Each structure stands twice: as C-alpha cells, then as structure tokens.
Amino acid sequence: ITEIVVISLSGIAAFQSIKVAGDTFDESIQDHFRKEYNMAIGLKTAEQIKIQAGAVSEKLAIPPAPMMVKGKDMVSGIPVTRRIGHAEVARILERSIAQIETAIVQTLETCPPELAADISETGIHLTGGGSLLRGIRERFERSIKLAVHLDPTPLKSVSAGISQALAAP
C-alpha cells in the first residue's frame, strides 16, 4: 500500500491510501516479461530487477547498469536470458508511478488551506522502499511542483516512527 498523509500539530490533517506499491511494481515487471518476451520470471527476480535497474525516468544523470535476467521461455520451457535496462523498467512502472502522483495531488487538494503555506515551504517527504527508485524525487518535484525530501533510511522509517510514538510519554 502507498499511504499519503499530511500531519499537522501531531495529528492527521489529510490521508489517502492506494493499493499501488512495491508488490504492484514487481507484478508489473513480471507481466511485462510474460507479455513482451513470452518469458516467465519469479517474484524474487522481478524484485531484483526493481532494485538493480529500477527507475521512474528514462533520463537519469547516473543510470544503473543493465542487468541480465534469467527465466523460462513460456513456449518451449527452456531457460532463457534477457537483458533489461533502467529505461525499460521506467516504462513498465509508469502507470503505477502516475497513480501515486495522482493520489499525492488529490490528498494535497483535500488538505486544509491553512497548511498549504507550510507544505509549500517544507515540501513533502518520501519514505519506504518506493522512494529508492532512481529519479523519483526529481519526477515528483517536476510534476507536483514541491520540494521532495528522501528519508536517509527509507526501509526503517516506519519502524523508527512507531518506536518514537511508543516511547513518547
């Protein structure tokens, strides 16, 4: 799940949740290989593609190296290898990333007007595994027209937040 939350004065001012996130990205990668190349790959392989070659933009200042993907030809059943680069992954993930962008904008639209100045001043913060996709900050800054900050430890941000909430008196 991707959750978009506007927090103000230690409370939730606006919230939206959509069923588009890491697993959706992995399934999109699997579907792409099945439809485009008649090649079956596992979820773990799709996740490795996302991690090693994952991007949300075809134009990156420092693109990751293409990777070789091993799977099974769906017609012959014989193992095959195919090369994939970040630009192809960006095209695969386009629909999902666009859904997340739309959800962010919708959540900001429902936000009380008093918070608009704060949000435009401080920007938005991305956490979780999706924030590790190459080019996501730049894309969201272009499309949403706000500063975007990435958590330095995005995979630990939820547990860190929960531990802080539990530790508070």
Side-chain angles (χ1 to χ4, degrees), residues 19-132:
K19 292 183 178 186
V20 177
D23 291 344
T24 308
F25 301 156
D26 296 343
E27 290 165 7
S28 295
I29 292 168
Q30 271 188 308
D31 289 345
H32 177 77
F33 272 83
R34 190 173 25 258
K35 290 175 184 172
E36 292 297 315
Y37 307 120
N38 283 327
M39 183 177 168
I41 61 170
L43 272 175
K44 287 183 180 182
T45 301
E47 185 174 15
Q48 281 306 114
I49 294 168
K50 178 182 66 181
I51 292 167
Q52 291 180 24
V56 299
S57 175
E58 293 185 38
K59 297 175 184 168
L60 296 175
I62 304 170
M67 69 177 285
M68 300 307 286
V69 179
K70 295 178 182 178
K72 182 173 84 171
D73 184 282
M74 292 173 57
V75 177
S76 67
I78 296 173
V80 291
T81 303
R82 179 148 204 95
R83 180 181 161 134
I84 189 166
H86 79 281
E88 187 173 357
V89 177
R91 289 189 298 274
I92 296 168
L93 300 180
E94 174 59 34
R95 183 170 174 245
S96 296
I97 297 301
Q99 288 177 310
I100 293 171
E101 278 177 330
T102 300
I104 292 170
V105 170
Q106 289 172 345
T107 305
L108 291 172
E109 287 172 348
T110 65
C111 189
E114 296 80 21
L115 297 179
D118 289 343
I119 294 170
S120 66
E121 211 173 276
T122 60
I124 62 175
H125 296 263
L126 299 181
T127 64
S131 67
L132 295 171

